[in-house]
Amino acid sequence: MDRAIHSKTSLFLMELIIAILFFSISGAICVQLFVRAHTLSETSVEMNNSVLWTQNISEVFHGLKGNLRSIADFYSDSSIVLVSYEDNPEVGTLVMFFDENFELIRFPTENGALENAKYELLLCISELPAAEVYADTAADTGRMDGNALVGEIALIRMENSLIIDRISKDADQDVISDRFTDYYIGTMEVNADET
């Protein structure tokens, strides 16, 4: 009889250990799924805001005819022109900073607000020959005189409050979203006739 009780107790303990093991594994899998879902949700929010802001800057670029100074004036309290060439005020780099909620950080910063920056938006504008910019279109680019302003827009995740002043092709920058936009400015004679 002692053996029968001992055998039933051993069997019961074995079943209990297997049940605990099963629930432990199930619990670990559920926790991993919740963590993964949270990470995907954060990534999705980050990507959506990034695409929204790069699109907004692209629209402002077109609306203000690619003029760097006008774009900087449009975002006067939350942007910095890092690089601008006096002989060509349309060419240069505009920088904006965002906090973790994608709210623009206003300038001048007070109480170390720039320390709260988690994202940096760069708009790098260059002037190139129009025939080069539109060479991949079906239009006859041989008849395109003058130049075009090309804007590269990138929203970058900031690491250790490192401020980036240009967009490079290096893998060390954590670019969330980027896009190119352009504005045809033609020749100076054409622009003078328009006014």
Side-chain angles (χ1 to χ4, degrees):
M1 181 151 203
D2 265 347
R3 263 188 176 184
I5 292 174
H6 182 65
S7 176
K8 286 182 182 180
T9 305
S10 296
L11 186 61
F12 175 74
L13 287 175
M14 186 63 81
E15 288 176 359
L16 189 60
I17 290 171
I18 291 173
I20 291 172
L21 181 63
F22 174 75
F23 285 117
S24 297
I25 292 171
S26 299
I29 291 171
C30 288
V31 168
Q32 286 180 347
L33 289 174
F34 282 119
V35 168
R36 177 85 172 148
H38 180 71
T39 303
L40 285 174
S41 175
E42 285 181 344
T43 302
S44 176
V45 167
E46 189 177 70
M47 181 59 80
N48 287 339
N49 281 305
S50 175
V51 169
L52 177 72
W53 272 105
T54 55
Q55 178 66 32
N56 285 345
I57 297 298
S58 179
E59 295 294 331
V60 170
F61 178 89
H62 279 278
L64 298 175
K65 301 178 181 177
N67 187 298
L68 179 66
R69 293 288 174 203
S70 297
I71 297 168
D73 290 343
F74 188 80
Y75 293 104
S76 63
D77 59 344
S78 54
S79 66
I80 304 172
V81 175
L82 282 184
V83 180
S84 180
Y85 303 101
E86 294 305 320
D87 59 332
N88 191 349
E90 285 92 13
V91 175
T93 301
L94 180 87
V95 180
M96 299 166 68
F97 297 98
F98 299 88
D99 64 13
E100 62 200 16
N101 298 318
F102 280 90
E103 296 292 328
L104 274 171
I105 294 178
R106 308 267 179 229
F107 290 100
T109 61
E110 295 178 8
N111 302 326
L114 196 54
E115 292 175 3
N116 297 328
K118 300 292 182 206
Y119 305 99
E120 177 180 1
L121 185 135
L122 290 172
L123 168 61
C124 299
I125 301 174
S126 57
E127 186 173 339
L128 298 171
E132 180 182 324
V133 173
Y134 304 110
D136 62 342
T137 63
D140 182 10
T141 56
R143 295 186 306 176
M144 293 191 111
D145 294 332
N147 295 328
L149 294 172
V150 177
E152 183 177 3
I153 306 164
L155 203 132
I156 301 166
R157 195 177 293 111
M158 293 179 67
E159 298 291 332
N160 303 324
S161 300
L162 176 66
I163 297 173
I164 300 167
D165 62 348
R166 62 185 141 76
I167 304 166
S168 71
K169 305 306 174 210
D170 296 340
D172 61 343
Q173 292 179 354
D174 198 358
V175 176
I176 302 168
S177 177
D178 65 342
R179 70 174 44 224
F180 285 91
T181 187
D182 57 74
Y183 186 81
Y184 178 68
I185 57 174
T187 60
M188 296 309 278
E189 294 81 31
V190 172
N191 289 338
D193 291 342
E194 289 177 358
T195 58

